[in-house]
């Protein structure tokens, strides 16, 4: 899982860009031009999520709580095998699309080393499921 704050002025543009990955609302095109998930046969589930706190209006009743939170982009993939290998593979195969997506995030520009940036923004899993181990 890769998590990064989205630049405040780029949230709407990011949502529009991510929507181009879909055949129709909520249905991804596995061969989309940005990140063609269908090309990666070890992926079970993958998605980009724009995570926004919808409880901010409620906080006016709790003045001691922070009154604002950043919107984050989350890239999540569940796969067979080591996640780091999948991340490197996706960067090799879809680096251009990932760059277009992550360009909406803080501390990312044309000169950013993509795989290193993704690793630096990686959130380790709290639990891992292993069905069977192959030797």
């Amino acid at each position: 899982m890769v998590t990064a704050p989205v630049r405040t002025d780029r949230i709407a543009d990011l949502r529009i860009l991510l929507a181009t990955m879909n055949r129709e609302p909520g249905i991804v095109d596995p061969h989309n031009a940005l990140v063609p998930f269908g090309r990666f046969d070890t992926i079970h589930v993958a998605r980009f999520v724009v995570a926004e706190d919808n409880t901010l209006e409620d906080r006016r009743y709790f003045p001691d709580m922070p009154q604002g939170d950043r919107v984050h982009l989350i890239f999540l993939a569940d796969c067979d095998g080591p996640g780091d290998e999948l991340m490197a593979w996706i960067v090799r195969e879809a680096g251009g699309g990932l760059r277009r997506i992550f360009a909406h995030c803080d501390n990312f520009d044309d000169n950013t080393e993509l795989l290193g940036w993704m690793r630096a923004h990686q959130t380790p899993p709290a639990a891992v499921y292993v069905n069977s181990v192959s030797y």
Side-chain angles (χ1 to χ4, degrees):
M1 183 166 81
V2 175
T3 306
V6 179
R7 296 177 190 164
T8 304
D9 63 332
R10 304 293 302 274
I11 297 168
D13 291 339
L14 175 59
R15 289 181 190 279
I16 291 167
L17 179 63
L18 293 177
T20 69
M21 296 175 70
N22 292 339
R23 271 191 216 150
E24 57 186 83
I27 307 294
V28 70
D29 175 359
H31 306 291
N32 73 80
L34 290 174
V35 183
F37 292 122
R39 194 181 297 173
F40 306 99
D41 60 358
T42 62
I43 291 178
H44 293 282
V45 176
R47 68 191 64 229
F48 288 92
V49 176
V50 178
E52 191 166 8
D53 188 346
N54 294 323
T55 68
L56 292 178
E57 181 61 27
D58 297 340
R59 293 185 185 192
R60 64 189 172 118
Y61 299 105
F62 303 96
D64 293 336
M65 290 183 70
Q67 294 302 303
D69 279 330
R70 298 289 307 275
V71 171
H72 283 77
L73 173 64
I74 300 169
F75 171 54
L76 177 68
D78 178 46
C79 65
D80 290 330
D84 199 55
E85 288 179 18
L86 175 64
M87 190 182 311
W89 184 17
I90 291 174
V91 166
R92 284 191 307 275
E93 295 288 322
L98 289 171
R99 288 187 160 284
R100 288 185 59 201
I101 293 167
F102 291 131
H104 296 80
C105 296
D106 288 357
N107 303 313
F108 192 94
D109 61 32
D110 292 340
N111 299 315
T112 301
E113 195 275 309
L114 179 58
L115 185 56
W117 185 90
M118 289 176 68
R119 286 180 174 148
H121 288 84
Q122 196 168 1
T123 302
V128 177
Y129 170 77
V130 177
N131 183 38
S132 63
V133 178
S134 57
Y135 296 96

